[in-house]
Amino acid sequence: NRSSTSDIGARVFNSAAISLTNDTVTVLTFDSERFDTDTIHSTASNTGRLTATTAGKYIIIANISFQDNVTGYRLIRFIVNAATIIATFASPAVATAGAATRMAVSTIYSLAATDYVTVSAYQNSGGALNVLAEANESPEFAMMKQVG
């Protein structure tokens, strides 16, 4: 494992829009990496996961933009090991036609080695709705181990 003074973390994104079925919680997937310093993410298997290979406290962040639609509400959340919700952000859809609903969620959480985190999204617009692919903005998912 890495020394406690080395950067340990990953930031990943999806290069294409992700379609979300109405009224269904969906784990987002990520096909590309901005960086990964500790084998935290795989672009080949379990692409929705960021896995702690080094135990510690991690800052976990996600940013997503939902396709323009003024109906219903939107939600994003983090889940550890497909069982424990550790952070949620929910909001009504942006009520301005032509404007995407943009959301971010963050938390700090202690992870054991092999614990993994996913980010899920939900929308209830009445039909399928995309999480937009926007350079450096959406969908983005990251976690960095705190030093010390």
Side-chain angles (χ1 to χ4, degrees):
N1 278 342
R2 312 274 310 237
S3 87
S4 63
T5 59
S6 298
D7 286 339
I8 294 175
R11 181 171 171 173
V12 299
F13 65 100
N14 201 311
S15 60
I18 301 169
S19 181
L20 301 179
T21 302
N22 182 62
D23 203 26
T24 302
V25 176
T26 303
V27 174
L28 301 181
T29 57
F30 301 90
D31 62 8
S32 303
E33 298 173 347
R34 299 206 183 281
F35 62 87
D36 183 353
T37 66
D38 202 31
T39 320
I40 291 170
H41 181 258
S42 170
T43 57
S45 65
N46 296 316
T47 62
R49 296 180 180 184
L50 295 182
T51 302
T53 54
T54 302
K57 289 184 180 75
Y58 283 82
I59 300 167
I60 307 163
I61 301 165
N63 302 311
I64 65 173
S65 297
F66 289 90
Q67 175 184 346
D68 169 36
N69 183 297
V70 300
T71 303
Y73 76 96
R74 313 293 178 258
L75 176 143
I76 58 175
R77 68 182 181 195
F78 295 134
I79 303 174
V80 174
N81 299 330
T84 304
I85 298 169
I86 61 169
T88 300
F89 179 64
S91 175
V94 170
T96 304
T101 299
R102 300 179 192 285
M103 301 179 83
V105 65
S106 62
T107 194
I108 300 172
Y109 198 79
S110 290
L111 298 172
T114 75
D115 282 348
Y116 66 90
V117 182
T118 56
V119 59
S120 297
Y122 170 89
Q123 60 85 19
N124 66 346
S125 66
L129 201 62
N130 284 335
V131 169
L132 301 174
E134 298 176 316
N136 297 303
E137 290 188 56
S138 174
E140 297 275 340
F141 185 26
M143 70 183 204
M144 291 293 296
K145 183 179 178 298
Q146 293 183 297
V147 174

